[in-house]
Amino acid sequence: MNWQGKTVGFALTGSHCTFAEVMPQIQRFVDAGAKVVPIVSFTILTTDTRFGTSENWQKQLKEITGNDIIASIVDAEPLGPSKLLDVLVIAPCTGNTTSKLANAMTESPVLMAAKAQMRNQRPVVLAISTNDGLGLNSMNISKLLITKNIYFVPFGQDAPMAKPNSLVARMDQIMETCEAALEGKQLQPMIIERFNYQ
């Protein structure tokens, strides 16, 4: 697919352990010629973890995309009227974000961006990363699976023996999922074996 002239919204939420997998996928879009608009949840702005500092992740986002980060609900709202984004990716998409999106709650820049994109009937691509995907959050994932214009990056259990309810997307399939979504298709297979398990 030719990404020249396409604008990708790339939103990150607080599954910090997957950021290192996600950053190269943002670079793929940039290398393919897309304009990438970075969007972050409030957690990204305020939380340092063993996986890296907030400042470092924000710096990487700006350096990779060459664009300022959308970091407030007010700044995310115009994405609707402007129809700026061809596709919106939420990666990683936490259980918290999944739950709120499935229940039409808009209390973060990422969720406002999703609402804006859905208003325009344009694709939203979710790369889930949640410890309770097969627990309480399974009902929210199910609601989103049948929601128009929402597509899932193929996902599977990442640690079924240690964390049997945990689901994580194959982050290296984000671009391919977006290409299918722009054609109105869900990339298949959607439910996969994510890793060789121990």
Side-chain angles (χ1 to χ4, degrees):
M1 178 177 180
N2 184 3
W3 285 95
Q4 296 285 340
K6 300 287 187 187
T7 301
V8 178
F10 208 108
L12 289 85
T13 65
S15 180
H16 296 81
C17 60
T18 59
F19 289 176
E21 289 183 65
V22 166
M23 292 297 170
Q25 306 313 313
I26 301 173
Q27 186 69 58
R28 285 183 71 195
F29 284 106
V30 173
D31 292 345
K35 175 183 178 182
V36 178
V37 177
I39 306 159
V40 298
S41 67
F42 296 129
T43 302
I44 311 301
L45 295 176
T46 59
T47 308
D48 297 337
T49 73
R50 63 190 174 95
F51 300 104
T53 65
S54 169
E55 181 181 4
N56 180 59
W57 293 120
Q58 290 181 64
K59 181 181 177 184
Q60 284 193 51
L61 276 175
K62 290 179 181 178
E63 288 177 348
I64 292 170
T65 66
N67 290 309
D68 290 333
I69 296 171
I70 293 178
S72 73
I73 292 174
V74 171
D75 288 341
E77 191 278 334
L79 293 173
S82 69
K83 297 184 178 180
L84 177 67
L85 306 180
D86 293 291
V87 60
L88 172 67
V89 180
I90 304 178
C93 182
T94 61
N96 188 43
T97 299
T98 303
S99 173
K100 290 175 181 176
L101 182 59
N103 290 283
M105 296 176 67
T106 309
E107 50 73 76
S108 77
V110 171
L111 291 163
M112 177 56 78
K115 178 180 178 181
Q117 187 76 345
M118 293 170 74
R119 157 188 164 162
N120 293 329
Q121 298 186 343
R122 292 184 175 181
V124 176
V125 171
L126 308 180
I128 59 173
S129 179
T130 171
N131 282 327
D132 68 339
L134 294 176
L136 285 174
N137 231 325
S138 61
M139 67 183 74
N140 299 311
I141 292 171
S142 295
K143 285 174 72 172
L144 294 171
L145 283 170
I146 59 169
T147 301
K148 187 177 180 180
N149 298 317
I150 290 185
Y151 303 88
F152 282 78
V153 177
F155 61 86
Q157 291 175 282
D158 59 305
M161 302 308 170
K163 301 185 296 179
N165 288 342
S166 181
L167 295 174
V168 179
R170 277 280 305 270
M171 301 303 172
D172 61 348
Q173 293 186 352
I174 289 172
M175 179 178 278
E176 291 75 12
T177 306
C178 289
E179 290 173 350
L182 285 165
E183 296 179 357
K185 300 175 183 178
Q186 169 62 55
L187 186 67
Q188 298 291 348
M190 184 183 66
I191 299 175
I192 60 168
E193 184 173 0
R194 190 174 186 275
F195 291 122
N196 293 322
Y197 304 132
Q198 298 178 358

